[in-house]
Amino acid sequence: MERIPLPLSAAAPIPGDSRGAPSFDGRPGVADRFGRALRDLRISVTDRCNFRCPYCMPAEVFGRDFAFLPHDQVLTFEEIERLARIFVGLGVGKLRITGGEPLVRRDLPLLIASLSSISSPDGSPVDLTLTTNGSALRPLARPLARAGLGRITVSVDSLDDAVARSMNGVDFPISRVLDGIAAAREAGLSPIKINTVVRRGLNEASVMPLARWARDEGLILRFIEYMDVGTANGWRLDDVVSAEEILSMIDAELPLEAVSANYRGEVAGRYRYRDGSGELGVIASVTRPFCGDCTRARLSADGHLYTCLFAARGTDLKTPLRDGESDTELEDRIRAVWAVRADRYSELRSEATDRLPKVEMFALGG
Ligand code: SAM
Ligand code: SF4
Ligand code: SF4
């Protein structure tokens, strides 16, 4: 396998106890060993999914007898809300609900209602969003919006029905996902973002139709490089369609120019159409890693804290929480984990990292 060049993290380590240490964004919070603040939390509400996308939960591996988490091991809504409040107290300003497929979790709007009532210590609202495969959005978009969800991201890998059906692994028609997006729009969720994973040999031909569609519909499209998350998807570098390749495909038909990032830590490289007709993003975590700006933590459905998408293990927060630890004790626990964080997997990706054990993406929250 070809070795990928390694850019270095931008920030310098902060020595000693990072309690209250300034981070690269200068705002209060907890900083890790590279000065990266804890600003985003992805909350996985379930490890289950009704799809079997080959790049995430290939059907051959995740068959009928696959042992998902037993229900009593999954955090309750009350436990999620309590932990989310603690994370927000530590400086998190953005909560993303994910999974597995978050919409398969029963009564999800109740969780959204409780999370949308959380505000930051300075009184500013927390940015609450959700990533879904869109299959159950028609009935749920309105209840989610009423519960306080502002915006949403829907994963769409192709507009071609045959390609979409094979990429979701369960023959699910694209028309129902598109109807779910229409329901999200009717419910007032805005903006609507679209995530597209591009995997060589599967959906390169879907790139241009998706770009045109998103531009015409006013949707914010983000192409994601196929990543080596987990170990079940049989990832190979040759299957990655690079951001550069995706952008040049689009630029040849619809000329693009780069736009500067909205904020430090934004993972998508932003581009706009030169004719002013819209924007798109590329998440180039394989060919242009952005670990230096990574401010994300993940809370898995069974209450483990992960400090990197490629982590081999997490820190159990569920046990101390269920054993009766106070908010302050839990906060100290989270602070201690983040203070020693030194993750930069994508910057170090190589043949050696390929062989490391990794938790699957659906399990730790994509
Ligand atoms: N089930 C929901 C969905 O598909 O939107 C949320 C969870 S899913 C794990 C979150 C995002 O991760 C999706 O946009 C999905 O396309 C992306 N994803 C999953 N496996 C990936 C991989 N191997 N490389 C890049 N992105 C991946
Ligand atoms: Fe399910 Fe999302 Fe993974 Fe596809 S990417 S298998 S929809 S969790
Ligand atoms: Fe963040 Fe880990 Fe991804 Fe780097 S590899 S950007 S540290 S999640």
Side-chain angles (χ1 to χ4, degrees), residues 42 44 46 48-51 53-57 96-103 130-134 153-157 194-199 222 224-230 233 235 283 285-286 298 309-310 360-366:
R42 296 182 174 221
S44 173
T46 178
R48 289 162 201 260
C49 184
N50 56 332
F51 281 10
C53 309
Y55 50 75
C56 178
M57 295 174 80
R96 177 175 296 274
I97 305 305
T98 180
E101 172 48 41
L103 301 194
L130 178 150
T131 304
T132 172
N133 63 28
T153 300
V154 186
S155 301
V156 179
D157 295 332
I194 305 294
N195 274 0
T196 301
V197 176
V198 188
R199 193 178 141 173
R222 294 167 335 158
I224 308 176
E225 286 180 349
Y226 171 42
M227 291 185 284
D228 47 337
V229 281
N233 61 12
W235 184 87
I283 302 180
S285 49
V286 177
R298 291 177 160 81
L309 179 56
F310 300 91
E360 298 299 326
M361 193 177 199
F362 73 89
L364 57 75

Side-chain angles (χ1 to χ4, degrees), residues 30 33 47 72 118 233 249 268 306 316:
V30 50
R33 287 179 45 204
D47 62 338
D72 65 345
I118 300 177
N233 61 12
M249 252 188 260
Y306 292 90
D316 182 11

Side-chain angles (χ1 to χ4, degrees), residues 271-282:
Y271 294 81
R272 75 172 148 240
Y273 296 109
R274 283 182 191 269
D275 66 4
S277 60
E279 254 190 59
L280 63 80
V282 284

Side-chain angles (χ1 to χ4, degrees), residues 36 290-291 294 296 298 308-310 341 343-346:
R36 300 169 298 187
F290 37 78
C291 302
C294 179
R296 278 173 303 283
R298 291 177 160 81
C308 179
L309 179 56
F310 300 91
R341 174 185 190 244
D343 301 285
R344 48 196 286 258
Y345 177 95
S346 288

Side-chain angles (χ1 to χ4, degrees), residues 176-214:
R176 286 182 56 194
V177 175
L178 299 182
D179 183 54
I181 294 171
R185 203 194 290 267
E186 288 156 26
L189 294 170
S190 173
I192 300 175
K193 292 189 180 174
I194 305 294
N195 274 0
T196 301
V197 176
V198 188
R199 193 178 141 173
R200 195 173 301 288
L202 294 184
N203 65 334
E204 300 107 303
S206 302
V207 166
M208 271 324 293
L210 278 165
R212 278 196 215 94
W213 167 72

